[in-house]
Amino acid sequence: IMILIQLSEEQESLVETSRKFAKSEIIPVASKYDESSEFPKDVIKKAHQLGLMNLVQEPEYGGAGLGVFDASLIIEEISAGCAGMSTSMVANDLALLPIRIGATPEQKKKFIQPIAEKGLLASFCLSEPGAGSDAGGLSTTIKKEGNKYILNGSKQWITNGGYASQYTVFATIDKGLKHKGICCIVVDANSPGITKGKHENKLGQRCSNTVPLSFVNVEVPEENLIGKEGEGFKIAMQTLDLSRPLTAIIAVGIARAAFEYARDYSKERKQFGKTIAEFQAIQFMLADMITGIEASRLLTYKSAVMLDMGKHSALESSMAKRFAADTAMQVTTDAVQIYGGYGYTKEYPVEKLMRDAKLLQIYEGTSQVQRLVIAREILSGK
């Protein structure tokens, strides 16, 4: 697919609005929320009011109605401000995507519209204490009893879990069926039997709320089942194919911010009578950084455009997520190196970017799992 990147006036406006929001509302408070590990409720509320949430949800249900490409333009700017805040915002789309993919119009009206219109939060509940990368091996059970389902089990690493009003939960009717037994169901977060654990004390993206959840005999109406019994794994994989570019562009935003800080600092910092930007060693680092960022962005754009065209893009989405995540880790590490001792302190912004970047290599499919997907796609002859 050939992509000519010429943004329309409307797309330029999306970028400008998002960049202004990041500069005025996110960057001034990012270090404070990082230090305290507090959830940025006020910032999230303002983002919703500005239309920067629920980006790829259908407008008839209160969403912004954007394609994946347009959404990525916004997310890069927000992520350059703070990846933790960006992750919490994008997590709403992740939680609602299975509903958009597999639900009836009545279910969409019931489960997407209130979230999108009222500025509420939702969580995607797939990972478990014993099933992270191996999503098909999850243990949370779902059992039909009359006109309701009974849910039992635990979920781990749930973004926005402590503040969400509803959960999109994946559970199995029979673990022996492996991925063929998995179901997708929407659960009211205030249902009896749900216990929300303590917010994880994380290395990076600390302001993004991350908790374990426990479900003990939680009753859920049968009409909350998305798709049919056994279709949950397929819905989850389709969701992740759609969301990977939205995750990859978070990495691009982090890396871009780190590069810009490092470039500007290198032109000011003097050693041996000249700026360190005049040293070829620093020039080569900056050259590699910007090349990796540009390549990551283009891979992400390609996968986003393919999704918007309705094409199968598991290969392209996985390549984008893997490459962008690994690039962000390298670029932020190099940014700290360019700052030297100052970069290792919290007085300067690059150490936070390095900590934030690490999570991109782990969540929504580790870089190793992305390689498995890439290998499967190229060897399948698709």
Side-chain angles (χ1 to χ4, degrees), residues 136-367:
L138 57 80
S139 299
T140 298
T141 61
I142 182 170
K143 184 180 179 183
K144 185 77 179 290
E145 285 190 6
N147 62 352
K148 61 182 180 289
Y149 285 97
I150 308 299
L151 203 59
N152 281 282
S154 299
K155 293 295 178 179
Q156 189 78 24
W157 320 119
I158 305 305
T159 302
N160 295 342
Y163 294 88
S165 63
Q166 81 180 28
Y167 302 130
T168 305
V169 181
F170 294 86
T172 182
I173 51 175
D174 180 355
K175 194 170 181 182
L177 294 173
K178 298 186 177 178
H179 65 278
K180 292 182 180 178
I182 295 174
C183 305
C184 175
I185 195 163
V186 178
V187 183
D188 186 328
N190 295 313
S191 301
I194 298 177
T195 301
K196 303 172 185 179
K198 182 183 175 185
H199 171 51
E200 302 287 354
N201 187 12
K202 307 192 297 289
L203 171 73
Q205 301 201 21
R206 290 169 51 79
C207 72
S208 178
N209 179 255
T210 310
V211 302
L213 297 174
S214 173
F215 301 89
V216 179
N217 293 325
V218 177
E219 297 185 4
V220 189
E222 63 180 350
E223 58 266 26
N224 287 27
L225 186 74
I226 304 301
K228 298 176 182 176
E229 290 186 359
E231 289 185 347
F233 187 78
K234 180 179 74 173
I235 291 171
M237 293 305 102
Q238 288 175 338
T239 296
L240 292 173
D241 281 347
L242 271 167
S243 69
R244 278 191 191 113
L246 305 182
T247 308
I249 205 68
I250 294 176
V252 174
I254 294 171
R256 191 195 86 199
F259 165 77
E260 289 173 351
Y261 283 126
R263 177 200 60 200
D264 295 347
Y265 180 79
S266 73
K267 293 192 288 186
E268 297 170 1
R269 173 70 167 166
K270 289 188 176 180
Q271 292 285 276
F272 306 102
K274 54 184 177 181
T275 65
I276 62 172
E278 295 177 72
F279 292 106
Q280 194 176 64
I282 301 297
Q283 292 174 1
F284 280 11
M285 289 174 75
L286 292 170
D288 287 346
M289 290 160 81
I290 192 63
T291 303
I293 293 166
E294 188 68 11
S296 298
R297 186 184 287 113
L298 288 171
L299 267 173
T300 303
Y301 281 178
K302 180 179 180 180
S303 64
V305 169
M306 287 182 70
L307 285 166
D308 288 340
M309 293 172 66
K311 293 182 177 289
H312 178 77
S313 72
L315 172 62
E316 289 76 12
S317 294
S318 289
M319 288 195 298
K321 202 273 183 181
R322 198 291 297 169
F323 189 79
D326 292 349
T327 296
M329 196 68 245
Q330 183 64 55
V331 168
T332 54
T333 302
D334 286 347
V336 171
Q337 190 71 18
I338 288 171
Y339 270 76
Y342 292 112
Y344 201 65
T345 72
K346 293 184 184 295
E347 296 292 315
Y348 292 85
V350 288
E351 62 84 30
K352 176 184 180 295
L353 292 166
M354 185 174 78
R355 289 186 287 108
D356 288 349
K358 185 59 200 173
L359 188 54
L360 270 298
Q361 293 180 309
I362 298 171
Y363 70 0
E364 288 210 41
T366 64
S367 290

Side-chain angles (χ1 to χ4, degrees), residues 58-86:
E58 296 158 302
E60 56 264 46
Y61 303 111
L66 299 180
V68 180
F69 178 79
D70 286 355
S72 72
L73 299 176
I74 292 173
I75 294 167
E76 178 179 337
E77 299 304 325
I78 301 299
S79 304
C82 177
M85 296 185 196
S86 179

